[in-house]
Amino acid sequence: MFKGVRSALVVFFALLLCGGVFGQTRRFNEAYNPLHVAKRLSYENFRDLKMLQTAILNFGGGKDEVDRLIDQYAEASALYFQSRYEESANLFSDNQREILISAKRLTTKYKDTSEKLLLDTTKKTIKDELESALKKGKKEENYTELFLNRARFAVNTANDYYDRYKDATTASPMNFIKAIFYYRQAKENMFELFKTIEMDKEKRDGILEQYKRDIFDNENKVYQSKEKNP
C-alpha cells in the first residue's frame, strides 16, 4: 500500500515540476524565452491593433471587436508587469492569433470589394471607349488606363499577400495589413478614375456615394452613417 502511495507521489511531483498539474501549456514556441516573447508581442500587437483599428471600425465588428482585443492585450500587459512572464507570453500569443483572425476576415472583405470594383470599372471604361470609337470612327487616346493599371497592380499585389497567408494560423497579422494597404490603393485609383472620366454628374455622385464608407476608410477615417430622424 505504502509503495503505491509513494509511486503516486512520485508521479504527482514529476507532473508538478513539468507544469502538468499547476502549470500551463506554452502557446508559443517552447524554444523561446517567455520574457522576450511577451516584450516582442507587446510591441507588435499594439502596432497591429493601431493599424487595423479604422478597418475594424469601418468593416469589422466595430467598437466591440476593438474593445475585446484591447482588453485581452491589457490583461497580458498586466501579467507582464506582475513578472508572470509565461502567462503573459501565452496571453499575448492568444491576442496575436485573435488579431490575425480579425485581419484575415477584414482582408477578405477588402479583396471582394476591390475585385468587384475593378471588374465593374474595367467593363465600364471598355464600353465607353468602344462606344466613343464607333461614333467617331477611331479610338482616341484615353488616360483612364493609367488609373486602371495602377489599380490592377495594387489588387494583384494585395492578392499575393492574401493567397500566401490565408491559411496561416500563427503568422504575423502584418501580412494582411499590407494586403489591406494595397486594396485601399486599388480602390483609391478607381475612385480617382470616376472623378476624371466624362459621365453624368448624378451618376458619378451616385457611385461615389455608394462607396462613401470606402472613401472615408482610404483616408484612415471612421465612417459615421447619418441616420434619418423619424
Side-chain angles (χ1 to χ4, degrees), residues 146-165:
L146 175 65
F147 291 109
L148 284 175
N149 283 338
R150 290 174 178 171
R152 290 187 195 109
F153 172 80
V155 166
N156 288 337
T157 303
N159 283 348
D160 184 53
Y161 278 109
Y162 178 82
D163 291 337
R164 278 190 286 161
Y165 296 100

Side-chain angles (χ1 to χ4, degrees), residues 25 30-31 40 47-48 76 100 103 106 108 110 116 126 133 136 144 163 181 190 196 221 224:
T25 302
E30 290 284 341
R40 175 174 59 82
R47 175 200 65 194
D48 296 343
L100 178 68
L106 285 166
T108 303
Y110 278 83
K116 182 181 184 306
I126 291 173
K136 297 179 181 179
T144 59
D163 291 337
F181 169 81
M190 288 181 276
T196 58
K221 296 178 181 177
Q224 301 287 347

